[in-house]
Amino acid sequence: KPCPLCDEAKEVLEPYKRRFTLQEVDITLPENSAWYDKYKYDIPVFHLNGKFLMKHQVDLQKFEDQLVKVELQND
């Protein structure tokens, strides 16, 4: 903290917040060292349903496409 890139990503995702649950992970905490080792130069990183989706910034088209797939699977 602070993480302006993360804040920007959260703003972009704000209109979708009713369609998914955002779980933030602070990779600087000792218990998240594996994530730190993997992503220390690539924040923010996005996973959807446990699978890597994108990094650095939100690709809205990719996010929307994958979110719709998840929603269809859950119906």
Side-chain angles (χ1 to χ4, degrees):
K1 293 183 179 181
C3 181
L5 296 173
C6 300
D7 293 340
E8 180 182 320
K10 287 190 283 187
E11 255 183 61
V12 171
L13 294 173
E14 179 70 20
Y16 298 89
K17 70 180 182 180
R18 296 185 190 276
R19 295 174 60 192
F20 74 101
T21 301
L22 178 67
Q23 178 184 356
E24 295 181 58
V25 176
D26 183 345
I27 64 171
T28 64
L29 297 176
E31 62 267 25
N32 296 325
S33 63
W35 291 113
Y36 180 81
D37 292 341
K38 189 169 186 171
Y39 293 125
K40 61 186 165 197
Y41 301 116
D42 290 316
I43 59 167
V45 175
F46 307 90
H47 289 85
L48 186 62
N49 276 9
K51 295 181 183 176
F52 173 80
L53 184 60
M54 58 195 156
K55 61 184 176 182
H56 300 151
Q57 61 185 359
V58 177
D59 177 335
L60 276 179
Q61 186 62 57
K62 185 174 191 175
F63 175 73
E64 177 68 27
D65 291 348
Q66 293 302 310
L67 186 57
V68 167
K69 283 183 185 180
V70 169
E71 290 170 337
L72 290 172
Q73 288 173 356
N74 291 337
D75 282 347

